[in-house]
Amino acid sequence: MRAKDIMTNNIVSISEEGSIDQAVELMLNNRISAILVLDDDQRLLGLISEGDLMRRMRDRQARHRSWWLELLSNEGAALDYIKTRSARVADVMTRNMITVDEDTKVEDIALTLERNRIKRVPVTKDGVAVGIVSRADLIQAIALSRNGRLPVPKPEDEVLRRQVLAAISTAPGGSVSSVNLQVENGNVTVWGTAEGEAVKQAIRVAAENTDGVRSVQVYMDKVPAWMYGV
């Protein structure tokens, strides 16, 4: 099993010229914790996550360092000021991203996340962003393992996976940014979050109605209230 078999295909992205407010709105509307920063050719420039935004708020509220330390490290203080005060994505995003290829094995992705202490990694093909793999995606893959071995999707399953994702995107509330799935021998397993039971069942029906699908299992949680600002 490789990155392309478990990654979230639908990329929610923003330009580096975008604003922090726009980035926050995209995260909330798509119920995700990070978005990629891409150029006009879909090439990866960086990533901005809820962690970046949380650190931003925490650092703003932190006490100022002593005056003599500030004098000794004006460059560092200036960088901190930019990160916490700028309204531009380009100033806040994480650069120098660690990435994986779409054919990277799941085992290697797990090692990459662990060694670098990161929660997700963008997937690229010829330098172009094509998806993203998170820890949750890895856990979902492990859940489907048998006797310690991950399933190996067939080429036709790879095609079917794309078709099911396209079908789900047409269902009410079926945003593929909050839905991921795996396909093995035509059997589909759907993971993610949904606004309610009706949306969850609509996603199931969309998957079941896709030609070539033999069975569908849906494991979806309800969207937490805080994402609606409640």
Side-chain angles (χ1 to χ4, degrees):
M1 184 172 281
R2 302 177 185 274
K4 61 185 177 183
D5 302 317
I6 67 169
M7 68 184 184
T8 299
N9 297 73
N10 188 56
I11 299 174
V12 178
S13 65
I14 192 170
S15 163
E16 64 177 340
E17 299 303 322
S19 70
I20 297 301
D21 286 345
Q22 290 171 333
V24 171
E25 185 176 1
L26 281 171
M27 288 185 199
L28 291 175
N29 289 344
N30 290 280
R31 305 191 290 277
I32 53 178
S33 60
I35 55 177
L36 300 183
V37 183
L38 308 179
D39 65 14
D40 293 338
D41 296 320
Q42 296 297 104
R43 295 188 179 276
L44 183 65
L45 301 177
L47 177 145
I48 185 165
S49 69
E50 62 181 1
D52 294 319
L53 301 177
M54 290 174 66
R55 283 192 296 272
R56 177 184 173 92
M57 294 302 297
R58 181 192 63 208
D59 293 344
R60 274 192 179 185
Q61 296 170 358
R63 293 181 179 178
H64 290 296
R65 291 180 292 183
S66 58
W67 65 269
W68 60 269
L69 186 58
E70 293 285 1
L71 289 176
L72 293 174
S73 56
N74 281 333
E75 188 68 16
L79 290 174
D80 288 345
Y81 183 89
I82 293 170
K83 282 277 189 180
T84 58
R85 301 292 177 177
S86 177
R88 295 177 56 195
V89 167
D91 291 328
V92 180
M93 71 182 187
T94 299
R95 299 177 182 270
N96 302 319
M97 293 296 303
I98 296 170
T99 64
V100 297
D101 184 81
E102 65 174 358
D103 288 318
T104 302
K105 293 182 179 179
V106 167
E107 299 92 320
D108 294 333
I109 297 174
L111 285 174
T112 296
L113 296 184
E114 182 66 22
R115 288 173 178 170
N116 294 281
R117 297 182 179 181
I118 53 179
K119 296 181 180 180
R120 61 189 69 79
V121 60
V123 182
T124 61
K125 180 179 181 180
D126 299 326
V128 176
V130 294
I132 190 167
V133 173
S134 67
R135 287 181 182 178
D137 296 324
L138 293 177
I139 292 172
Q140 292 158 11
I142 292 171
L144 296 180
S145 64
R146 292 182 293 275
N147 299 320
R149 297 176 65 88
L150 295 173
V152 180
K154 299 176 181 178
E156 53 267 33
D157 284 332
E158 296 178 13
V159 174
L160 183 57
R161 181 175 185 269
R162 291 193 292 270
Q163 293 173 340
V164 174
L165 280 169
I168 287 176
S169 68
T170 66
S175 169
V176 290
S177 60
S178 58
V179 175
N180 203 359
L181 58 89
Q182 294 167 33
V183 179
E184 184 185 12
N185 296 322
N187 299 304
V188 179
T189 306
V190 183
W191 314 82
T193 57
E195 295 176 18
E197 185 63 24
V199 170
K200 176 180 175 180
Q201 297 307 322
I203 289 171
R204 173 186 58 80
V205 170
E208 289 176 340
N209 287 344
T210 305
D211 290 340
V213 170
R214 299 173 60 186
S215 69
V216 178
Q217 289 183 299
V218 180
Y219 301 97
M220 303 187 74
D221 296 322
K222 186 176 180 180
V223 179
W226 64 264
M227 284 193 164
Y228 295 111
V230 177

